[in-house]
Amino acid sequence: MAETGRNRVGVGEKLGYGIGDLSAGLILNFFGFFLLFYFVDLGGLAPAAIGLMLLLTKLIDAFTDPMMGALADRTRTRWGRYRPYLLFGPVPLGIAIVLIFAAPGGLSDSWLLAWAYITYTLSMLAFTAVNVPYGGLLGVISPSSETRASVTAYRMFFSALGGILVGALGTTLVRELGGGDDALGVLLTISCIAAVSVFCLLVTFFTTKERIPFADTNGSLSGDLKELLTTGPWIVVAIAAILGVTAIAARAGSALFFFKYVVGDDGSPVFLFFDRPALFLTALALGQITGVIVGNLLQKTFEKSHLLIAAGGLKVAMIVLFYFLPLDAIWPQTVVQYLVGIGFGMLMVLSYSMFTDIAEFIDWKSGRQMTALVVAASVFAVKAGIAFGSAIPGFTLDLTGFVNGAQQSETALMGIQIAFAAIPAGVMIPALIALMFYGINRQVIAEVERDLSTRRAAPA
């Protein structure tokens, strides 16, 4: 469907929407890179304890994410359905993420673990309250699948930019702001991220519009959930997104352990001010931006599900290749990690675009408007992927005898390698298999857009 008149989304609005995901990119990349390290290597907690925490909080998310989606779909205000949450939610989110890393000194292990559970759960609830409506907004910013795909590319660019900033500046800011106290450096760095996140989400609120009118009634929540859970394409993309993020998060969560204990890196800069972990994460994020651009261009010609399968295959191949490179092969590792990022960027831009297509497909098929509920899967996928990916190193390190700050045994070093390479490559296989059953092609989307356009133009 071509954009006309009031349906046209300009570059300024695309930028305004996209910058909102810089918030999530900064927060989730920082969590993925520093959370396990903060509580395990700096706090002295058992890796499995934090791994279990990350998994248990996902049980809460499994309920709160769809509930938030259903609530947002039923919200009726002068600002629309989804935008109000971008006005009132950012400040609580900023406070919550800072609290995680503000544990008082001198806490016992039990109290520190309790602090981790409470503050991380609160931060994920605050994240849900903002990012589920943010994702839902993408589904109503335009009735055109092509336009939504373009807006998604802007969103994924800023998400990847968050990864670049955390990768390039994260370890440097922690080192410089902390002045030798890494725990203080982490706290001050996340405080900067919180301030930027609040600003970005408010920009999105003030620069975007909701263009698809809401229905007078959405029906029952149980009916929405039943419709969602019986929609095969949604299940397929949710599986692929969760496992795709899990693979990346497991590598990010184990990266500091890999470079410190397996490579023997001492944190010295190897290129400008980049140390090896910073170079590793920056390569991933730059690759992600490239993947977003490539994926956005290719989806105009090829089926999205086919491109996702190719992107997943690229990720698997490059993760395996990285494993066989010499530990001191800095630049070959950087190039290979950049290619991993391309696969990941394609996966993200295509899957988010597919979620909004699925929301339109469900509206067409059942008459139910449930955009935020459908897109809640994308938020849950990212959070679950981060949690599972961070939990994998936690449990693996614990099972293989990791001892923080000590000379590691051969078994512990092997555990780090498993978490860093073998598991991330392995979890992608079922994701690729699932995508073979997606079933919504370009012809179906064209029919959906035509019929919905006619339906929405008809007098009430």
Side-chain angles (χ1 to χ4, degrees):
M1 174 188 294
E3 287 185 300
T4 57
R6 65 184 181 87
N7 287 331
R8 187 173 301 279
V9 181
V11 172
E13 187 172 357
K14 292 177 181 180
L15 286 168
Y17 181 82
I19 198 173
D21 217 36
L22 179 60
S23 167
L26 289 170
I27 293 169
L28 294 178
N29 277 287
F30 192 86
F31 282 6
F33 198 46
F34 285 100
L35 188 66
L36 189 68
F37 186 77
Y38 176 82
F39 284 110
V40 173
D41 212 55
L42 300 181
L45 296 181
I50 299 302
L52 181 61
M53 177 198 79
L54 293 169
L55 290 179
L56 290 179
T57 55
K58 293 314 107 186
L59 296 178
I60 298 174
D61 286 337
F63 292 96
T64 58
D65 285 357
M67 293 304 103
M68 187 65 232
L71 175 63
D73 286 332
R74 289 162 173 76
T75 298
R76 303 289 186 265
T77 74
R78 61 191 177 95
W79 299 295
R81 281 167 282 183
Y82 309 117
R83 291 173 61 247
Y85 297 96
L86 305 180
L87 177 62
F88 299 109
V91 171
L93 173 62
I95 294 171
I97 63 173
V98 170
L99 283 176
I100 296 177
F101 303 98
L107 291 179
S108 66
D109 286 356
S110 297
W111 280 108
L112 181 59
L113 185 60
W115 181 278
Y117 265 88
I118 293 169
T119 56
Y120 185 73
T121 301
L122 287 175
S123 72
M124 287 297 97
L125 291 174
F127 188 88
T128 293
V130 171
N131 274 270
V132 169
Y134 174 79
L137 176 59
L138 176 62
V140 298
I141 205 167
S142 172
S144 165
S145 175
E146 183 176 343
T147 299
R148 293 193 305 271
S150 174
V151 176
T152 300
Y154 281 78
R155 174 185 184 176
M156 291 298 103
F157 171 84
F158 281 101
S159 176
L161 180 60
I164 289 176
L165 293 174
V166 171
L169 301 177
T171 54
T172 301
L173 286 174
V174 168
R175 181 176 65 246
E176 297 300 323
L177 294 178
D181 183 346
D182 283 349
L184 176 61
V186 168
L187 175 61
L188 294 177
T189 303
I190 193 65
S191 298
C192 295
I193 287 174
V196 172
S197 296
V198 171
F199 172 78
C200 291
L201 290 166
L202 290 176
V203 168
T204 298
F205 169 81
F206 285 109
T207 58
T208 55
K209 294 170 61 177
E210 298 183 17
R211 289 176 173 80
I212 295 179
F214 48 75
D216 292 334
T217 177
N218 275 51
S220 68
L221 174 58
S222 61
D224 283 1
L225 289 171
K226 180 179 178 181
E227 185 69 36
L228 183 67
L229 296 174
T230 55
T231 300
W234 179 85
I235 296 172
V236 164
V237 180
I239 290 172
I242 290 171
L243 294 179
V245 175
T246 297
I248 292 298
R251 282 175 68 76
S254 54
L256 286 174
F257 297 92
F258 172 78
F259 286 109
K260 181 175 180 179
Y261 294 105
V262 177
V263 176
D265 179 60
D266 61 1
S268 300
V270 294
F271 176 69
L272 300 177
F273 58 85
F274 292 84
D275 57 18
R276 290 193 66 177
L279 198 61
F280 174 85
L281 280 187
T282 303
L284 174 71
L286 288 173
Q288 186 179 344
I289 286 182
T290 305
V292 166
I293 295 170
V294 170
N296 186 51
L297 291 174
L298 292 180
Q299 70 179 338
K300 297 175 183 178
T301 305
F302 301 99
E303 296 291 348
K304 295 175 183 178
S305 60
H306 298 168
L307 292 172
L308 267 186
I309 292 172
L314 176 64
K315 281 177 62 178
V316 172
M318 293 302 102
I319 290 171
V320 171
L321 177 58
F322 190 104
Y323 175 80
F324 287 104
L325 291 173
L327 294 177
D328 60 353
I330 296 174
W331 292 110
Q333 287 179 346
T334 301
V335 171
V336 169
Q337 182 67 355
Y338 171 77
L339 295 173
V340 171
I342 290 178
F344 182 56
M346 291 179 65
L347 183 146
M348 293 300 289
V349 71
L350 294 168
S351 61
Y352 274 76
S353 176
M354 290 159 78
F355 277 125
T356 59
D357 288 348
I358 293 167
E360 292 283 87
F361 177 77
I362 291 175
D363 188 0
W364 172 72
K365 181 166 65 82
S366 67
R368 291 178 178 270
Q369 286 189 353
M370 42 195 286
T371 304
L373 182 58
V374 173
V375 178
S378 66
V379 178
F380 179 76
V382 172
K383 292 195 298 184
I386 294 287
F388 297 155
S390 300
I392 285 168
F395 286 120
T396 305
L397 267 58
D398 200 73
L399 288 172
T400 53
F402 173 84
V403 180
N404 65 297
Q407 180 77 28
Q408 304 301 322
S409 66
E410 288 297 320
T411 303
L413 294 175
M414 179 187 69
I416 294 172
Q417 288 276 39
I418 289 172
F420 185 71
I423 294 177
V427 298
M428 286 301 302
I429 304 304
L432 301 183
I433 295 172
L435 285 167
M436 297 177 183
F437 301 93
Y438 178 57
I440 297 179
N441 56 32
R442 297 163 64 84
Q443 289 71 32
V444 171
I445 289 298
E447 182 181 0
V448 166
E449 289 188 349
R450 286 195 302 270
D451 290 352
L452 285 179
S453 178
T454 302
R455 183 193 305 172
R456 290 164 179 163

